Amino acid sequence: MSDFKSGKELIDTFDLKPFELFSLVKSGLQPYNHLGNPLPPPNITDKLKNIKGYESELDSLLRRCPQLSNEEFQKRFKSNPREVAWYYEQRQRHQPRIEKLSRDIEDLKNELLQIENKNLWVNYELSEDNSYAQQTINNLLNYYYKLTEATALLKKPETHGSEPTPALPEQTDPETFIRSVSISYLSDTEVSVKIGTKGPKTYSYNDLRFQRENTKAWRALIEILQSSDHLYHVGVAHGAGKARNKTYDANRQKLGEISKKFVSFLNETCKPQLPDDFKIFKIKKDVRPGTYEPKFIVSNRSTEDARYDSYSKDGLITEIEDLSLRKAALEKRGDKDSENKLYQIVDKLNAAIIIAIDKKWLERHRAESYLNPLED
């Protein structure tokens, strides 16, 4: 007899509600498709689909506007100089999009590389959009699961005669959770933090438990976010004659303070509880000794985002308002096509808001209302 049962068969077997099946999946019950392949959560599936879509669009643009070497250029247009103007017009028109797609593909692939087990659902949260959340539940009902795994995850009742109930989701692994956190530089006093599948939010140094913007720890965090490689060199423990290096101790103390404050912030704003002594930086082994790198994702502002630099204040605020309205409309629809469009709108909205904040044309609370209009 097969060990695989559909979600519908499982809820009948154990007398569960559909949402309790979701709790089991978050506890570690692996969904499989009809071919027996493990299925990742929707946020991972969406990233994979976006990569595929971006690569398809990029391939189409490169065929329409090929990147030619000088030799290829001379060979192609020597016999027909009139096509030169057309070629340069196409390059000028499509090059920004080509660069943006290339960066987006690289960023998405890097995000996926940070996830050790892409089929794990433990960090996935149902969408706040009821229709999209229901679609996820419906999909889970149609997926297949190993009966032995489901049985092991169901706690046996202590009271005789009571029905078995799903085990509560296990504690999120701290290392897995921190890899779902993304931080980007906005200004010397503010950063953008994105946790899991939730939208990014803007936080000041004070929100992240730093007393002042000029503290050594805060300045070190800003330095890490702004640097090209996002590494931080603390030095070596002992100098000449094995004397203790005070700079080494001071730099490590900065990283320790950043970890302590950010863990405190995460534990107060998120469900997963990280250990108080959890470190959000780790030694990078393939570079010079004493170099640390973040365990979280650092998101960079791309060069194409600077296109908003040319906007006037009124023009940029109007663009932000329009993008925010389009974002809200797409979120309400909740279908797959709208979700793919939503990623592009959110990218543009974040870029426009970053420029507006940098130019001091937009206050933080207003930026927050545009990014999360339903979470005032």
Side-chain angles (χ1 to χ4, degrees):
M1 180 180 295
S2 173
D3 188 37
F4 283 93
K5 300 292 181 182
S6 71
K8 292 177 182 178
E9 290 175 319
L10 279 185
I11 65 174
D12 288 340
T13 300
F14 296 106
D15 192 21
L16 304 175
K17 300 295 184 184
F19 66 85
E20 292 177 310
L21 175 62
F22 175 71
S23 295
L24 276 178
V25 171
K26 280 184 64 68
S27 296
L29 183 62
Q30 178 62 58
Y32 296 85
N33 65 11
H34 66 287
L35 297 175
N37 298 320
L39 292 165
N43 59 315
I44 300 299
T45 303
D46 292 340
K47 289 181 190 297
L48 294 171
K49 287 183 177 179
N50 282 334
I51 290 174
K52 186 176 180 179
Y54 291 159
E55 287 179 335
S56 177
E57 183 183 352
L58 179 60
D59 182 62
S60 176
L61 288 175
L62 290 176
R63 287 197 305 268
R64 188 185 316 168
C65 181
Q67 310 293 293
L68 302 177
S69 65
N70 289 334
E71 182 180 352
E72 292 171 328
F73 181 86
Q74 294 294 333
K75 183 178 179 181
R76 178 168 177 172
F77 295 110
K78 185 176 181 179
S79 60
N80 195 350
R82 292 183 179 180
E83 289 191 10
V84 173
W86 172 86
Y87 175 78
Y88 277 117
E89 187 275 332
Q90 291 294 308
R91 282 290 299 271
Q92 185 175 12
R93 177 183 177 186
H94 297 298
Q95 190 63 26
R97 181 60 179 167
I98 289 173
E99 293 177 358
K100 177 67 162 59
L101 287 170
S102 299
R103 285 192 298 271
D104 288 345
I105 291 169
E106 182 180 2
D107 288 345
L108 285 172
K109 288 183 176 180
N110 285 337
E111 287 182 25
L112 290 175
L113 286 174
Q114 299 294 323
I115 304 172
E116 291 184 6
N117 187 350
K118 298 175 180 59
N119 296 318
L120 195 67
W121 286 62
V122 66
N123 289 323
Y124 181 74
E125 300 291 343
L126 286 174
S127 170
E128 295 179 0
D129 185 290
N130 288 335
S131 61
Y132 190 67
Q134 186 60 56
Q135 182 60 52
T136 301
I137 296 293
N138 292 342
N139 289 338
L140 288 176
L141 291 172
N142 291 319
Y143 295 154
Y144 293 91
Y145 308 87
K146 290 183 178 180
L147 182 60
T148 50
E149 289 184 1
T151 303
L153 285 169
L154 289 166
K155 288 182 176 179
K156 297 298 181 180
E158 295 181 2
T159 304
H160 180 70
S162 62
E163 296 294 328
T165 56
L168 293 175
E170 298 175 359
Q171 175 66 41
T172 302
D173 174 58
E175 298 294 341
T176 301
F177 173 72
I178 198 64
R179 288 194 295 271
S180 74
V181 177
S182 175
I183 308 178
S184 58
Y185 170 85
L186 294 181
S187 69
D188 287 348
T189 61
E190 293 177 323
V191 297
S192 174
V193 179
K194 183 179 184 299
I195 301 173
T197 59
K198 297 180 180 179
K201 292 186 178 181
T202 302
Y203 296 98
S204 69
Y205 61 90
N206 194 251
D207 295 327
L208 298 183
R209 314 297 185 263
F210 293 86
Q211 292 183 351
R212 300 182 309 280
E213 63 184 276
N214 60 350
T215 59
K216 293 180 179 179
W218 175 257
R219 293 305 309 160
L221 175 60
I222 294 299
E223 178 185 333
I224 292 168
L225 297 178
Q226 283 191 291
S227 66
S228 59
D229 55 13
H230 312 304
L231 302 180
Y232 191 77
H233 186 64
V234 299
V236 292
H238 299 90
K242 296 186 178 181
R244 187 70 180 182
N245 189 339
K246 293 182 179 180
T247 301
Y248 168 83
D249 291 330
N251 287 335
R252 287 199 61 191
Q253 185 177 357
K254 293 176 193 175
L255 294 184
E257 186 175 348
I258 295 172
S259 290
K260 181 178 179 180
K261 293 183 182 299
F262 196 65
V263 166
S264 174
F265 160 78
L266 289 174
N267 284 342
E268 290 185 21
T269 55
C270 307
K271 290 181 181 179
Q273 292 296 299
L274 300 175
D276 291 337
D277 60 350
F278 182 74
K279 305 301 181 185
I280 65 173
F281 298 94
K282 63 181 180 180
I283 283 284
K284 187 170 177 60
K285 298 179 179 180
D286 55 347
V287 294
R288 61 176 175 162
T291 300
Y292 284 76
E293 64 178 341
K295 295 180 180 178
F296 54 85
I297 299 169
V298 179
S299 298
N300 291 321
R301 170 179 164 185
S302 66
T303 56
E304 193 200 354
D305 294 343
R307 67 187 182 278
Y308 288 122
D309 278 334
S310 62
Y311 279 50
S312 66
K313 179 179 179 180
D314 291 341
L316 189 56
I317 297 301
T318 299
E319 173 77 357
I320 290 172
E321 291 173 346
D322 176 65
L323 290 170
S324 182
L325 290 173
R326 292 166 63 187
K327 172 178 175 288
L330 289 170
E331 286 175 332
K332 289 180 180 179
R333 289 175 59 183
D335 57 272
K336 285 292 184 181
D337 183 57
S338 298
E339 189 176 358
N340 291 334
K341 294 178 181 177
L342 181 61
Y343 276 98
Q344 299 177 20
I345 295 298
V346 170
D347 283 345
K348 293 180 180 179
L349 180 59
N350 285 332
I353 285 177
I354 288 173
I355 295 294
I357 291 176
D358 282 351
K359 294 189 174 184
K360 303 189 185 301
W361 290 349
L362 189 65
E363 297 294 332
R364 185 171 68 86
H365 69 277
R366 285 192 63 198
E368 186 67 31
S369 69
Y370 288 128
L371 286 168
N372 303 284
L374 299 180
E375 299 178 24
D376 294 331

